[in-house]
Every structure is written in structure tokens, then in C-alpha cells.
Amino acid sequence: MKTASTVAALRKARARLKGTLGFVPTMGALHEGHLTLMRRSVRENGHTVASIFVNPRQFGPSEDLAKYPRTLKEDLKLCREAGVDLVFTPDADVMYPDGFDTFVEVERLSRPLCGEFRPGHFRGVATVVCKLFNIVQPSRAYFGQKDAQQVLVLARMVEDLNMPLKVVTCPTVREKDGLAMSSRNRYLSPSERERALVISRILAEVKRQFDKGERDVGHLVSIMESALGAEMDEVQYAEIRRLADLTEFPGPIDAPALAAVAGYVGTTRLIDNVTLTPSRGRNA
Ligand code: AMP
């Protein structure tokens, strides 16, 4: 496995990788969620490139950029074990040299949910991923459903800007007890971790009720809000929106939906979601 920390070095190493190329962008502090994406890319492509870059442009001024976990040595070992061929590990000044002045904004999809609480976040994500795509030139790029809004934003960017690659969405990887894996989970104390379980528990309950035929957004949201409010220190949102474009349902759920949650347990911001898809022939 090779590593490169400049654009020129990455391009040179990438040019030697012939055939289909899978790409897995990450911010490091790798866990089984990231590794599942990497292994799938390795299976589906001739070669795989990963990137490890904590992108300052997607963090707000009061967010956890400085304390975001950085475990590069261990990460590289895990990439190697997953079968990655090349890892891009740029510093911030490689990605944003003096004079940097161009941004990518996916307007409507970036507004609701996390966009409301993290102004500029998806602009930072779209900009860095656009740059990474231009540098790496992958055939396929792999993202987790855990960050459902992110993958919608990026798929829209790829479509709108005619980028010649396929966005592949991979299911959320969870701990045995349901907690969605996240680099931020390591901040949780044992008692906070216990309280954080409310998120996956209530999302599973919403899915159960939906599968039994419940279609009332207000009812499902109120179930989420009361359970989350009892355990979390701040609930930023608990919403159900159309999966296709994140718009709201004016009436009952009549199309594939996303139930999504964000908020704080202690000082750790957690997000999670489930998709609600009407099964054909039942309650349709
Ligand atoms: P991050 O390092 O948090 O920016 O995540 C890098 C990629 O890994 C993104 O596409 C995430 O959606 C994905 N990812 C993070 N956590 C999980 C998880 N628990 N399951 C599946 N994918 C994940």
C-alpha cells in the first residue's frame, strides 16, 4: 500500500492503477463502518484509493475540529488490512492553499436537517469531495447511509456537475447493541453511551410501527421526540422527510421516507437515521 500527501504524488501513484478505481473518502479515526466501505470497494473494483483528511471547511467555528480524533498510524494499518492500494493524506494547506476561493454548493438538499444546525457544513463537504474526485478520478465512490443527507447532497453534485463516476451508498454499520458506529463514539462515557442507545432504539421502533402500517408523520415524530428528550441532552431534530429529496410530507407518508435524528449526548453530537419504505401490496 502506498501513501501520498501531495496532489502531485497522489496523481503519480494513481496513474499506475489501471482498470476500475473505487474511492473511499474519510476523516480517519477508522472503525468498522469505514472498513466495510473499503472492503466493498476492494471487492467491486480493480484498485481502491482511500483518503484521510479532517476537512476544516466542514466544521463550524464552535465545532469539534481541534479535538476531532486523529489516529493516522492505526488508520493506515487498517487500510492496508482492508486491501486499499493507495491512501491520500493531505494537510489542510495542500487542499486549501493561499488564495483558495472556489466552493460547491448543493442548494436545496443542504438546507434542512443537519444543514439548519451546521451552516456551511455541506458546502464544505461538497467542495472537498469535488476536489478529491478531481484529484483521485475514481470510477466509483463509496459513502455510508449513516450520513444520509451527505450522500444525497453528493449524489446530486455528481449528477448536476456531470462527474463521470458512480456514487455507491452502503448500509449503516452498527454495534451489536444498535449504536451506529461513529468516530465520535469514542468521546462517550459509559453512561453517555448507554443513553445514546435511545437513538437507534427509537428509530427501530419507528420502523416497526411504519411496517405495521403507521403513516402519520406527527405521531411517529412525537414518539421520537419524547423518547429522545428523556435521554439526550439536546435534540436538534427528529424528522421524517421524503427520501428522494428531503422535502416534508404534507399528509400521510406515501413515498419512501427517511426518519432522521441529530443531537447531543453530553458534548458529543450524534446522528442516525432509518429508511421507511412501503412494502409493495401492504398498506400501500
Ligand atoms: P467520516 O470519516 O465520518 O467522514 O466518514 C467517512 C465515510 O464513512 C462516510 O461516507 C460515512 O458515511 C461512512 N461511515 C461512517 N460511519 C459509518 C457507519 N457506521 N456505517 C456506514 N458508513 C459509515
Side-chain angles (χ1 to χ4, degrees):
M1 186 183 80
K2 293 208 157 8
T3 63
S5 56
T6 65
V7 175
L10 189 286
R11 285 197 198 282
K12 196 166 160 206
R14 191 268 176 258
R16 291 198 203 97
L17 305 177
K18 306 294 181 203
T20 58
L21 189 89
F23 177 44
V24 184
T26 81
M27 298 206 298
L30 301 183
H31 52 68
E32 199 53 35
H34 300 112
L35 298 176
T36 304
L37 268 54
M38 290 176 187
R39 289 189 207 108
R40 178 155 172 198
S41 171
V42 168
R43 275 201 311 278
E44 294 180 353
N45 299 278
H47 296 282
T48 290
V49 175
S51 62
I52 297 174
F53 178 58
V54 183
N55 174 30
R57 305 270 176 164
Q58 70 187 67
F59 287 78
S62 62
E63 294 183 350
D64 60 346
L65 173 64
K67 74 163 201 171
Y68 197 84
R70 288 163 170 87
T71 57
L72 185 60
K73 202 167 154 226
E74 175 67 10
D75 288 349
L76 292 177
K77 181 168 167 273
L78 293 169
C79 288
R80 188 175 302 112
E81 287 167 4
V84 171
D85 298 280
L86 172 62
V87 186
F88 186 38
T89 59
D91 283 335
D93 56 358
V94 166
M95 294 302 278
Y96 304 110
D98 280 351
F100 184 88
D101 200 25
T102 303
F103 293 87
V104 178
E105 199 149 345
V106 179
E107 297 196 346
R108 273 192 303 275
L109 282 169
S110 297
R111 259 178 229 138
L113 305 178
C114 286
E116 208 172 300
F117 294 90
R118 305 187 72 186
H121 170 69
F122 289 114
R123 181 182 196 246
V125 169
T127 301
V128 80
V129 172
C130 174
K131 283 173 65 70
L132 291 167
F133 284 173
N134 284 334
I135 296 165
V136 174
Q137 306 206 347
S139 334
R140 300 191 183 92
Y142 294 79
F143 297 92
Q145 180 63 19
K146 154 92 178 356
D147 300 277
Q149 187 173 12
Q150 169 171 280
V151 80
L152 282 170
V153 164
L154 295 174
R156 189 77 247 166
M157 172 185 81
V158 163
E159 170 81 17
D160 289 353
L161 299 184
N162 308 96
M163 296 178 172
L165 62 101
K166 183 171 160 31
V167 169
V168 182
T169 308
C170 305
T172 301
V173 179
R174 298 178 180 281
E175 304 282 358
K176 279 203 181 66
D177 57 12
L179 184 68
M181 288 194 187
S182 163
S183 304
R184 292 186 168 98
N185 289 352
R186 67 189 71 198
Y187 300 138
L188 297 168
S189 69
S191 65
E192 287 172 346
R193 196 190 173 291
E194 193 60 34
R195 286 196 285 132
L197 290 177
V198 69
I199 302 173
S200 51
R201 203 184 321 123
I202 203 61
L203 285 168
E205 174 60 21
V206 163
K207 195 171 178 63
R208 237 183 331 268
Q209 296 220 8
F210 179 83
D211 287 342
K212 281 198 297 186
E214 181 59 71
R215 293 292 182 271
D216 188 283
V217 173
H219 176 69
L220 293 171
V221 165
S222 74
I223 293 175
M224 288 198 281
E225 284 177 343
S226 59
L228 296 168
E231 301 286 345
M232 296 181 75
D233 296 293
E234 182 193 341
V235 180
Q236 286 190 325
Y237 62 77
E239 291 201 47
I240 296 178
R241 287 175 173 256
R242 281 199 185 82
L243 185 59
D245 58 8
L246 301 183
T247 55
E248 289 175 298
F249 289 100
I253 302 170
D254 58 359
L258 182 77
V261 169
Y264 282 87
V265 175
T267 55
T268 306
R269 186 173 185 274
L270 300 172
I271 62 171
D272 199 355
N273 65 80
V274 290
T275 54
L276 307 174
T277 317
S279 53
R280 230 193 297 257
R282 197 176 6 141
N283 308 306

